[in-house]
Amino acid sequence: MSGILYLVATPIGNLEDMTYRAVRILSEVDLIAAEDTRNSIRLLNHFEIKTPMTSYHEFNKYDKAKVLVDKLLEGKNIAVITDAGTPGISDPGEELVKQSLEAGITVTSVPGACAAVSALITSGLPTRRFAFEAFLPHDKKEKARILEELKEETRTIIIYEAPHRLKKTLALLFDVLGDRKITLTRELTKKHETIEQTTFSEAISHYEENEPRGEYVIVIAGMDVAAMQAEQRAEYEAMTVEEHVAMYLEQGMSKKEAIRQAATDRGVPKRDIYNVVERKER
Ligand code: SAM
C-alpha cells in the first residue's frame, strides 16, 4: 500500500505555534522533505524529532518530487516542511502535491501558521473576500500585467515582500493603484511584531527615514467601487449637460449615443438630457 504525503505547517517565527499534531506526524513519518535541512534541523532538535531529512527545494522540485513519489509508492510516509509556515504557499510543495495526486497517493495537511492569513486577519481590512498575490513576479512584463489586473481588484489584496525590495514595491504599488489604505505587517508572531494601519504615501515617507527590517506582508484595501463611482459622478456633474454631450460628440459618438451615455453617467432619464440639448438647439 502507498504511503501518505503530509503537508506540515511549521511556525513563522514563534516556536510555540508548532502544533501537537505537527510534532507527532514529524516524529512518526519515515522521511521529512525540508526546504532547507540546515534551517529545519534546529526546529527538529527543539522538538526532539529524530526522523531523517532530505532536501526538497525550489531548484530540485521537479526531479526530487519523482524520487519522493517513488518512495511514497513503496509505502513510505513522507512529511513536507518548508522554512516557515504552510508548505505550498509561496514555497515548494505544489509540484510534489501535483505529482503525488497524479500517482494516486493520499495527500493530507497538518495546518498551522501562514503569514498571509495572520496578516489578513490582523489588518482591519475586509476579510470576507481577498486575493493572495504572494510575491510580485521579478519579470518586468509579468509584473506589469499583474499590477494592471490589481488596479481593478475590489477584494483585499495580500502581497509578500522581502525587506530589501519593500521600498521599491511600495513605490510601484502607489504609482499603479494610487494612494490606498494599507496594513503593513512585519515580523508576525515574533518579539518585534508590528501591525501598522497606514497608507502607501505614509509608508513610503516612513521608509525614507527608516530602513526596512524583517519579514513583511502588505495588505491592501481593494478598489472602492462606490467611492470611485461617486467621484466620477461628481466630475460629470461639474460639467453642464451641454458640455457633457459635447464631450462625447467630440469623441466621435452620434448625437443619440452621446445623449444616452450622458444620461447613464448622470443617472438621469435620457429625456432630461434630450430636453436640454433640444432647447439649446431651438
Ligand atoms: N509558506 C509561508 C507561509 O505560509 O506564510 C510563506 C513563505 S514565503 C517564502 C516567505 C514570505 O512570507 C516572507 O518574505 C514574508 O513576506 C512572509 N512571512 C513569513 N513569515 C513572516 C512573518 N513572521 N511576518 C511577516 N511576514 C512573514
Side-chain angles (χ1 to χ4, degrees):
M1 218 175 75
S2 305
I4 294 176
L5 177 68
Y6 294 90
L7 300 165
V8 181
T10 56
I12 55 168
N14 191 325
L15 283 181
E16 288 181 41
D17 293 334
M18 188 75 170
T19 66
Y20 291 115
R21 187 161 163 247
V23 174
R24 181 176 63 77
I25 296 290
L26 291 178
S27 305
E28 287 177 2
V29 291
D30 299 295
L31 184 65
I32 298 173
E35 187 178 9
D36 181 342
T37 51
R38 279 171 310 176
N39 187 29
S40 294
I41 194 73
R42 275 178 268 145
L43 180 84
L44 300 195
N45 284 343
H46 183 87
F47 291 101
E48 297 177 6
I49 296 164
K50 308 250 177 324
T51 310
M53 257 196 298
T54 187
S55 71
Y56 178 70
H57 49 69
E58 197 51 39
F59 307 103
N60 70 0
K61 65 180 181 185
Y62 297 103
D63 294 342
K64 193 61 179 275
K66 287 191 186 78
V67 175
L68 295 173
V69 167
D70 284 344
K71 288 188 191 295
L72 286 157
L73 288 171
E74 283 165 19
K76 302 264 187 276
N77 290 319
I78 299 181
V80 185
I81 57 174
T82 54
D83 276 354
T86 300
I89 300 297
S90 290
D91 265 343
E94 189 180 318
E95 180 60 26
L96 181 55
V97 171
K98 187 169 154 261
Q99 290 195 26
S100 299
L101 290 175
E102 280 165 6
I105 288 155
T106 303
V107 177
T108 189
S109 69
V110 180
C114 176
V117 175
S118 283
L120 175 69
I121 62 174
T122 53
S123 70
L125 293 167
T127 56
R128 193 173 76 80
R129 297 173 69 238
F130 58 90
F132 176 57
E133 271 304 329
F135 292 97
L136 289 176
H138 291 306
D139 180 76
K140 267 192 174 165
K141 253 188 166 173
E142 181 63 1
K143 192 189 281 194
R145 188 186 66 75
I146 296 217
L147 287 171
E148 203 49 41
E149 271 180 29
L150 289 182
K151 255 188 192 175
E152 304 211 333
E153 177 58 73
T154 55
R155 295 171 294 179
T156 300
I157 303 161
I158 306 169
I159 293 182
Y160 282 168
E161 196 47 288
H164 63 280
R165 279 197 301 266
L166 183 81
K167 288 198 212 179
K168 254 192 166 171
T169 300
L170 287 173
L172 189 65
L173 289 165
F174 177 53
D175 273 356
V176 180
L177 306 181
D179 210 5
R180 294 250 181 118
K181 271 204 235 169
I182 64 168
T183 299
L184 211 47
T185 67
R186 188 182 142 265
E187 297 288 87
L188 291 164
T189 75
K190 300 184 196 174
K191 193 170 163 201
H192 298 293
E193 170 177 288
T194 55
I195 298 166
E196 204 82 53
Q197 290 183 290
T198 178
T199 58
F200 281 128
S201 55
E202 275 175 16
I204 290 167
S205 323
H206 174 80
Y207 285 109
E208 272 163 14
E209 313 279 309
N210 305 277
E211 233 8 77
R213 276 210 183 89
E215 300 197 271
Y216 287 86
V217 183
I218 313 168
V219 189
I220 307 165
M223 185 180 85
D224 186 340
V225 181
M228 289 264 298
Q229 283 171 342
E231 206 175 292
Q232 185 81 75
R233 174 96 24 113
E235 261 176 46
Y236 291 139
E237 282 169 5
M239 291 189 250
T240 64
V241 169
E242 292 90 336
E243 284 167 346
H244 201 154
V245 172
M247 177 182 85
Y248 286 128
L249 290 174
E250 273 162 33
Q251 287 173 16
M253 282 189 191
S254 69
K255 191 169 145 194
K256 202 172 154 195
E257 283 167 340
I259 288 174
R260 187 181 336 118
Q261 191 55 52
T264 308
D265 294 346
R266 300 171 92 89
V268 298
K270 265 187 302 187
R271 174 130 305 271
D272 291 4
I273 307 291
Y274 185 79
N275 286 343
V276 176
V277 175
E278 285 298 293
R279 206 184 317 129
K280 184 94 195 287
E281 285 177 358
R282 250 189 262 133

